[in-house]
Amino acid sequence: MSDLQPQFALREWQRHLLHPLTLTALAAVSAVLCLIGPFGTLTSLSLVPRAAYWTFLTFAGYTTGYLVSYAVLRPSVSGVAHLMRILVAGALTGFAMIALVAVLNWLVFGIALFGDETLKVSGTTLVISVIVMAVLDLFTRHLSPAPAPADAPETVPLLDRIPLDKRGPLIAISVEDHYVRVRTTKGEEMILMRLADAIREVGATPGAQVHRSHWAAFDQVTSATRDGDRALLQMTKGGDVPVSRRHIPTIKEAGLLPR
């Protein structure tokens, strides 16, 4: 797994968690569990602690299930293989939830799991986790963007580092202190990394470093003007990008300035 994938997984989890449908569903589940008070919580906990107990478990269960499903179900498989992945992901989530409940019940009630009904409830938790994992898989597929067609252009790894709503064709990358400002057709984002590392992640985007502190996408240049022995690139969005003297041959090669 690359170092970008955990960051991408967390961003996707945040996007799913903050989706109105997700929040509504989790709030509804928490409210129902609070009202019916399973596993003796109706009599052993007052309303506010009971609400906190089930809200915590609901959101923790969703987070655990989502991250497990991302790791186990994300590879593209179908048919029986995918069903087996759902079973494995559900079981892993179930065991994780059993361990979480064990710790929580010990802290709240001073008991291990559910007392005499530990085996019964643990088995029920595993079955429920598998069912929830299947539903979560369908839900995730519904919220996830459609897969790119086979002839889509090469992906741009740098875009995985910025929020989804700002991902678009690259315009420019500029150095600001220890950060780089990534400018796309949909916005800008500051990222803590070196310019050289950012340039390595532009994929097949046509462009080049045109200054010690700037990279520009050639297909986003609207015009280029000489400024003494230097030049300025006017971009489709945002400010101009300066071109240093040593990089003038680069933009001439790209056809942005006459030779």
Side-chain angles (χ1 to χ4, degrees):
M1 180 179 290
S2 71
D3 60 342
L4 291 179
Q5 287 180 328
Q7 297 178 32
F8 181 73
L10 290 176
R11 289 196 195 100
E12 288 296 290
W13 165 75
Q14 184 179 43
R15 183 175 72 90
H16 282 257
L17 179 63
L18 297 180
H19 192 284
L21 185 58
T22 305
L23 293 175
T24 301
L26 292 177
V29 171
S30 300
V32 170
L33 291 172
C34 176
L35 289 174
I36 63 177
F39 310 137
T41 56
L42 184 62
T43 56
S44 58
L45 291 175
S46 59
L47 180 61
V48 174
R50 187 166 71 247
Y53 179 93
W54 286 112
T55 299
F56 172 77
L57 281 183
T58 299
F59 278 79
Y62 170 81
T63 300
T64 302
Y66 179 82
L67 295 179
V68 170
S69 70
Y70 183 90
V72 176
L73 300 180
R74 187 167 176 262
S76 179
V77 294
S78 59
V80 176
H82 189 68
L83 291 177
M84 292 301 297
R85 287 184 182 274
I86 290 176
L87 290 174
V88 171
L92 290 175
T93 302
F95 284 122
M97 289 305 299
I98 290 170
L100 178 61
V101 172
V103 173
L104 186 61
N105 280 9
W106 179 75
L107 293 174
V108 176
F109 304 113
I111 61 173
L113 280 178
F114 306 99
D116 296 336
E117 296 188 349
T118 294
L119 290 179
K120 176 183 176 181
V121 175
S122 296
T124 302
T125 301
L126 287 173
V127 173
I128 292 175
S129 295
V130 171
I131 296 173
V132 170
M133 185 58 63
V135 174
L136 181 62
D137 178 56
L138 293 175
F139 185 61
T140 301
R141 288 169 182 263
H142 173 71
L143 289 183
S144 297
D151 58 350
E154 181 183 342
T155 59
V156 180
L158 183 62
L159 296 181
D160 287 341
R161 296 180 180 269
I162 67 178
L164 286 170
D165 61 343
K166 295 182 180 179
R167 296 180 192 177
L170 288 172
I171 295 177
I173 308 170
S174 302
V175 174
E176 294 187 20
D177 294 326
H178 298 294
Y179 291 79
V180 293
R181 181 182 295 276
V182 179
R183 191 196 318 174
T184 75
T185 57
K186 294 185 177 181
E188 299 181 357
E189 184 72 14
M190 299 289 286
I191 303 175
L192 180 61
M193 66 186 308
R194 299 184 305 169
L195 178 62
D197 294 331
I199 292 175
R200 281 194 286 269
E201 295 186 4
V202 301
T205 304
Q209 184 171 359
V210 296
H211 186 278
R212 181 178 61 183
S213 303
H214 300 277
W215 175 94
F218 292 153
D219 60 353
Q220 298 293 327
V221 176
T222 58
S223 64
T225 56
R226 290 299 297 259
D227 181 18
D229 57 355
R230 296 175 173 79
L232 283 176
L233 300 178
Q234 288 76 46
M235 313 304 292
T236 56
K237 185 176 181 181
D240 298 342
V241 174
V243 181
S244 62
R245 179 173 55 187
R246 62 172 294 201
H247 291 290
I248 291 294
T250 300
I251 63 172
K252 285 184 176 181
E253 285 288 334
L256 301 177
L257 276 179
R259 291 178 177 276

